[in-house]
Amino acid sequence: MSSRASRAPGPARPSVRPARCPDGTWETAQARPHASLRPGVIGYRGFRLAFPGPRARLEAPIGAVTLMLGFEGRVRVTEATGGWVGVGGQREADGARPEGLRSVEFSSVLSGLTTTPVLGEHDGRLSGVEVLLTPWAAFTMFGTPLHELSGWRVDPDTLGALPEAGVDELSYELGRLSSWRARFGLIDETLGRWLSSGPRPASGTVRAWYALTHSGGAAPVSRIAGQAGWSVRHLENRFREQIGLSPKAAARVLRLQRARRLLCAGSSQVETAAACGYYDQAHLSGEFKAMTGCTPREFFLARGVHVDAGGPPATDRLAGEATSLVLRHGPRTGGALPSRSPLPGSPLSKTAGHL
């Protein structure tokens, strides 16, 4: 894969935020994809983290597919159901992890839609770009029925729909480039090729997805099916293939996504439950615990303070949404896997002028 694409005109100048905190440095860069890729490709967020010890984030379900293109370090993803991950720097009980939890560790990770939270951990040095995709665009890009991705994280190069080692090669080239603008330009060009060669989603799937998202998950499934000109059964089959979850499960994710946003904006649980279509406050609290791994109060309080005073603030995957909690986290058991390869220029840039 050539880096010549980085010189092609088109990508806008990204918004870059470098900073130093008491025990490390960090940097983020955000940009919108090229207009030809929207609305299927939602956005890009680049990051470079350099800390002396491990860091962790609790990630709640969102209404998007995430492709993390890592070019330094590896991330471990562990299922976080049952509330065993405490927020505010504390773990429940004696801090032991329950046995039998699924856990994977990759340099680059593809995350489909899910109704359960996960814990993401790394050893303190991590660099890459998160690409946010609508589910139907992910179906086109990876050419895989999305129910095969639902609920878990995979190495995208194992799917076989893209050129062999395509994601690995793209990640490597991103690490060789010297600026975020060049990186985002290369991603624009590469995703454009991948999207142009994949299967097209049904137009009814796209319309139904946007009807559901615009309602915040509140629109009845029967009404959405009727608007698409399909039976409910046909809509369920299309969603399973091209979205990854059933319409009802996808509605749960979108409804709770809206509820988190309202709670963090200052709405009470009673107001939020009524606005989002929950039966009552108890219904909201139960869904919140099941899908986020903590109670609404715990999540709200953790979002209102710097849980990890030595690191960057929580950077949400979706702009304007409450998707993540940065946690104070002790050493990982089992050690870390080494970075895939040393990269030129890997020390973190301290100023935007070095990008």
Side-chain angles (χ1 to χ4, degrees), residues 203-205 207-209 211-212 219-236 239 247:
S203 59
T205 301
R207 290 197 306 271
W209 173 251
L212 198 60
V221 173
S222 58
R223 184 205 303 166
I224 292 175
Q227 291 173 344
W230 293 338
S231 67
V232 170
R233 179 66 177 273
H234 189 73
L235 177 68
E236 290 173 345
F239 258 56

Side-chain angles (χ1 to χ4, degrees), residues 8-282:
R13 186 176 299 277
S15 172
V16 180
R17 185 184 179 192
R20 181 183 293 274
C21 55
D23 61 350
T25 53
W26 58 276
E27 175 180 274
T28 60
Q30 297 189 353
R32 298 185 69 194
H34 190 275
S36 63
L37 302 178
R38 302 196 296 263
V41 183
I42 300 169
Y44 306 143
R45 185 179 71 88
F47 56 89
R48 280 189 180 271
L49 307 176
F51 300 111
R55 289 294 187 273
R57 289 202 316 182
L58 181 68
E59 299 285 7
I62 61 172
V65 173
T66 304
L67 171 63
M68 193 198 87
L69 302 164
F71 47 83
E72 181 183 18
R74 295 167 72 83
V75 62
R76 177 176 293 168
V77 181
T78 305
E79 59 185 345
T81 54
W84 68 269
V85 179
V87 301
Q90 300 296 323
R91 293 287 177 88
E92 292 185 356
D94 59 359
R97 300 189 182 204
E99 295 183 359
L101 293 175
R102 288 192 297 176
S103 185
V104 293
E105 189 158 3
F106 296 126
S107 296
S108 296
V109 185
L110 180 64
S111 304
L113 294 193
T114 178
T115 59
T116 56
V118 296
L119 181 71
E121 304 168 277
H122 61 85
D123 283 337
R125 297 195 68 91
L126 189 69
S127 301
V129 177
E130 282 185 335
V131 179
L132 270 293
L133 304 164
T134 60
W136 51 266
F139 166 74
T140 294
M141 184 178 300
F142 293 98
T144 301
L146 290 193
H147 66 83
E148 297 182 6
L149 309 180
S150 176
W152 200 230
R153 277 70 181 161
V154 300
D155 178 347
D157 277 332
T158 64
L159 299 177
L162 299 177
E164 184 177 358
V167 171
D168 186 74
E169 291 181 8
L170 173 58
S171 299
Y172 177 75
E173 290 293 335
L174 292 175
R176 295 182 60 194
L177 295 173
S178 60
S179 74
W180 290 114
R181 188 174 189 179
R183 292 182 183 113
F184 295 149
L186 177 59
I187 295 174
D188 275 346
E189 179 189 290
T190 305
L191 297 193
R193 292 200 309 271
W194 290 351
L195 286 168
S196 66
S197 61
R200 301 288 97 184
S203 59
T205 301
V206 178
R207 290 197 306 271
W209 173 251
Y210 281 117
L212 198 60
T213 56
H214 291 165
S215 73
V221 173
S222 58
R223 184 205 303 166
I224 292 175
Q227 291 173 344
W230 293 338
S231 67
V232 170
R233 179 66 177 273
H234 189 73
L235 177 68
E236 290 173 345
N237 290 337
R238 289 293 193 178
F239 258 56
R240 186 170 183 269
E241 177 191 34
Q242 300 174 5
I243 301 298
L245 294 176
S246 70
K248 288 185 177 179
R252 287 182 66 205
V253 172
L254 296 170
R255 187 182 303 130
L256 196 69
Q257 182 172 292
R258 184 186 178 204
R260 292 194 306 267
R261 181 172 67 247
L262 293 177
L263 287 170
C264 289
S267 296
S268 70
Q269 291 189 44
V270 173
E271 293 169 335
T272 300
C276 296
Y278 294 99
Y279 298 126
D280 52 26
Q281 182 178 335

Side-chain angles (χ1 to χ4, degrees), residues 328-342:
R328 185 179 302 281
H329 190 51
R332 281 166 40 171
T333 58
L337 296 180
S339 178
R340 170 168 46 202
S341 59

